Amino acid sequence: MPTAIERFVRGSDLAMLVDGNPVHAVSGQTFESLNPATGALLARLPAADAADVDLAVRSARRAFDEGPWSSMKPYDRQRIMLRFADLVEARHEDLAVLDTLDMGAPIQRMRANLRRSVGMARFYAGLTTALRGETIANSIPGNFQTHTTREPVGVVGAIVPWNNPHIAFIWKVGAALAAGCTVVIKPAEEASLSALWLGEMLLEAGLPDGVVNVVTGFGETAGAALTVHPGVDKIAFTGSTATGQAIVRAAAGTLKRVTLELGGKSPNIVFNDADLDLAVPGAAMAAFTNSGQVCSAGTRLFVERGVYDDFVSAMTAYAQSLSVGNGLDEGTQLGPLVSQTQLERVTDYFEVGRQEGAAVHYGGARLTSGDYANGYFVPPTIFTQVDNEMRVAREEIFGPVVSVMAFDDHDAVLRQANASPFGLGGGVWTNDLSKATRTVDALRTGTVWVNCYGQMDPAVPFGGYRMSGYGREGGVQHIDEFLETKSVWIQTR
Ligand code: NAI
Ligand code: MG
């Protein structure tokens, strides 16, 4: 009897999940899932296209329109979701290993996700019993009462990226289920394995067939089919800004509701009075963690002139000390990039930066010696002599690359920090409360971290300003993204 992990990583042909059943693509097409640390084949997955998406949407539609999910009492939905949370908790070590094999992140990082992933599952389970409308006083002559009820938006098409696979699944599906929606989720083609397992766990927890369907395949086919399908009421997307724009255009035909959690180029500001023992590792990992494959990575690092030289040398020493390797090695702090495509994107930016006149202070070339040769490894990379107008300071690189810029003027640095089309995250390091609050108020970003960076919690909303997207995920407001408001007028005698 193979263990759970072995089932997913022995090079076998896996099925996706539609209407409670394991199914292959109608076309019979498959694609390969590779381990980015070694290039080894993990599994073959169904390459879904419009025909498969149609079956999955019909199944979600039936489950929504006919029940029992949408007609179940909140308490009963909650019980299923809590059982799911227990299953995730019991199997979290294996889920962590599976995601590490699939997309490369260090096992330590994946393990540390436990509190958040199980916490999210329980947080959304809690929200099922917290839905409420309001009674409203109106001024209509006569006897009219008015109140609102909240109803699930319907069938949700969830499209997620690969940078934190099992978290992305629970984040999207959890909120949709809490609202009473049904779901077709398309994980990223680079990392779909844990989604298939989590889909099974939902069934095991008692979720009725068809409530969550997992469709594997490419964005341009499976993903795009979801965005135009008339049976889908809402798209919840996390990924690149370009794909987010394509989704908004595609969704216009049916006027689907859309929420978008997109890219970033987040500013991180270190003042002279900052506690450098905190700020140096904090700012380094703000950019390097998960090999920089984090939407809110603090990749534009502004350091005040007085500490700039000391800061850059301390951060360089810190970068040097980071252990880059196979994510399954216990000591690994930075794993490989997720794919050959991502490797090419990131190494192209090394060249772009050089050509624009930035200096590669540390890193800046693919790692190819020994075991590195078979995987997609790059070192943490520090650019100095960067101007905020350069492409390396404007565009999302999604690799462990930070651009460090010196500043003198406090107003000017806040203007520069905001001089970006993105507005996802931001950081400030100072021991001066006034500077900290001024920065918090000035930054046009969905999250600001003060003397820390990157913390996330199920109860704290997360999302972007401007081209980093719209809508908030996490927090009690997340469920609003999956609810309609119905106003009810009642005339009484
Ligand atoms: P992507 O945005 O193309 O892919 C994310 C998800 O969208 C995947 O599931 C993909 O299959 C799907 N998708 C792609 N095209 C689609 C379409 N036309 N319609 C519907 N779904 C579609 O991102 P990708 O290609 O994986 O990475 C490219 C860059 O995007 C990265 O280098 C990074 O800069 C950024 N990115 C940002 C993320 C974030 O969390 N903000 C996550 C992943 C990527
Ligand atoms: Mg893509």
Side-chain angles (χ1 to χ4, degrees):
M1 178 70 184
T3 66
I5 299 176
E6 285 168 350
R7 262 200 309 131
F8 289 99
V9 300
R10 282 209 165 155
S12 42
D13 252 300
L14 298 176
M16 49 192 182
L17 185 68
V18 176
D19 208 14
N21 297 311
V23 298
H24 295 279
V26 173
S27 69
Q29 296 290 310
T30 61
F31 66 98
E32 292 185 339
S33 179
L34 305 179
N35 178 342
T38 63
L41 175 73
L42 297 171
R44 283 190 190 77
L45 296 162
D49 60 22
D52 307 286
V53 167
D54 186 52
L55 290 172
V57 172
R58 281 170 195 275
S59 144
R61 193 77 256 166
R62 232 175 4 254
F64 185 76
D65 294 341
E66 296 167 21
W69 183 248
S70 41
S71 53
M72 236 179 233
K73 296 293 181 198
Y75 173 79
D76 298 312
R77 293 208 311 266
Q78 184 179 62
R79 226 175 21 196
I80 293 171
M81 291 176 68
L82 287 173
R83 274 203 297 263
F84 170 68
D86 289 344
L87 292 174
V88 172
E89 187 167 42
R91 296 167 190 173
H92 195 267
E93 173 64 19
D94 283 357
L95 269 172
V97 172
L98 191 58
D99 274 353
T100 289
L101 286 166
D102 210 6
M103 56 68 68
I107 186 65
Q108 297 291 3
R109 174 184 171 82
M110 285 302 166
R111 261 185 210 135
N113 277 338
L114 171 71
R115 278 181 77 80
R116 181 147 165 252
S117 55
V118 177
M120 276 197 298
R122 297 212 171 103
F123 177 76
Y124 292 118
L127 288 186
T128 57
T129 51
L131 299 187
R132 60 192 200 280
E134 36 184 14
T135 312
I136 301 162
N138 66 70
S139 304
I140 299 291
N143 293 320
F144 290 89
Q145 293 181 3
T146 35
H147 70 270
T148 59
T149 61
R150 309 302 308 279
E151 297 182 345
V153 69
V155 173
V156 172
I159 303 175
V160 293
W162 39 263
N163 49 348
N164 212 344
H166 77 272
I167 291 266
F169 183 102
I170 298 171
W171 211 357
K172 287 274 189 291
V173 168
L177 290 182
C181 294
T182 62
V183 182
V184 178
I185 183 164
K186 195 204 83 60
E189 51 271 41
E190 293 85 354
S192 303
L193 299 178
S194 59
L196 294 174
W197 196 17
L198 290 164
E200 289 177 10
M201 285 188 219
L202 281 166
L203 291 176
E204 197 180 333
L207 195 75
D209 291 349
V211 175
V212 171
N213 304 272
V214 185
V215 171
T216 54
F218 295 97
E220 298 70 20
T221 46
L226 264 180
T227 63
V228 295
H229 199 295
V232 174
D233 298 292
K234 171 182 173 137
I235 296 288
F237 174 72
T238 302
S240 66
T241 294
T243 298
Q245 291 171 311
I247 286 174
V248 171
R249 282 191 289 266
T254 45
L255 285 177
K256 288 179 183 29
R257 281 93 180 98
V258 178
T259 44
L260 302 169
E261 202 269 89
L262 307 178
K265 193 76 193 179
S266 299
N268 197 8
I269 304 171
V270 180
F271 288 101
N272 282 340
D273 63 88
D275 177 346
L276 293 195
D277 291 341
L278 263 185
V280 168
M285 290 316 276
F288 299 148
T289 195
N290 213 24
S291 296
Q293 301 168 125
V294 176
C295 49
S296 54
T299 46
R300 285 187 299 141
L301 181 56
F302 299 95
V303 181
E304 198 168 3
R305 187 83 57 192
V307 291
Y308 179 85
D309 288 338
D310 288 347
F311 192 94
V312 170
S313 52
M315 194 167 75
T316 306
Y318 186 85
Q320 238 153 3
S321 78
L322 289 171
S323 139
V324 181
N326 187 321
L328 284 185
D329 296 341
E330 292 290 332
T332 292
Q333 289 163 290
L334 300 186
L337 298 171
V338 72
S339 64
Q340 176 71 32
T341 309
Q342 210 54 34
L343 176 72
E344 283 164 17
R345 279 179 64 100
V346 172
T347 51
D348 280 353
Y349 274 108
F350 294 156
E351 290 320 306
V352 167
R354 284 189 178 94
Q355 278 161 23
E356 289 179 304
V360 177
H361 186 80
Y362 183 76
R366 180 184 180 179
L367 298 170
T368 51
S369 64
D371 287 345
Y372 287 138
N374 300 320
Y376 313 124
F377 292 96
V378 295
T381 293
I382 301 172
F383 276 121
T384 54
Q385 294 168 38
V386 177
D387 183 295
N388 199 41
E389 298 300 310
M390 289 180 183
R391 282 183 61 200
V392 288
R394 275 204 334 262
E395 298 173 12
E396 183 172 56
I397 299 176
F398 234 57
V401 185
V402 68
S403 291
V404 197
M405 293 167 270
F407 72 90
D408 298 292
D409 183 277
H410 292 189
D411 291 324
V413 77
L414 294 177
R415 277 196 303 275
Q416 275 199 311
N418 283 331
S420 161
F422 298 113
L424 194 56
V428 51
W429 303 80
T430 176
N431 281 323
D432 178 334
L433 186 60
S434 304
K435 262 182 230 163
T437 47
R438 245 186 91 218
T439 308
V440 167
D441 291 347
L443 289 182
R444 301 282 298 158
T445 63
T447 298
V448 183
W449 286 282
V450 181
N451 293 332
C452 60
Y453 203 98
Q455 285 69 20
M456 308 275 276
D457 186 272
V460 180
F462 182 82
Y465 284 25
R466 297 179 287 172
M467 289 185 78
S468 292
Y470 38 74
R472 288 294 177 272
E473 301 194 314
V476 291
Q477 20 315 51
H478 192 178
I479 199 165
D480 292 335
E481 312 282 1
F482 295 97
L483 293 169
E484 294 281 14
T485 298
K486 179 177 282 174
S487 300
V488 184
W489 290 82
I490 302 174
Q491 183 171 204
T492 59
R493 286 174 198 274

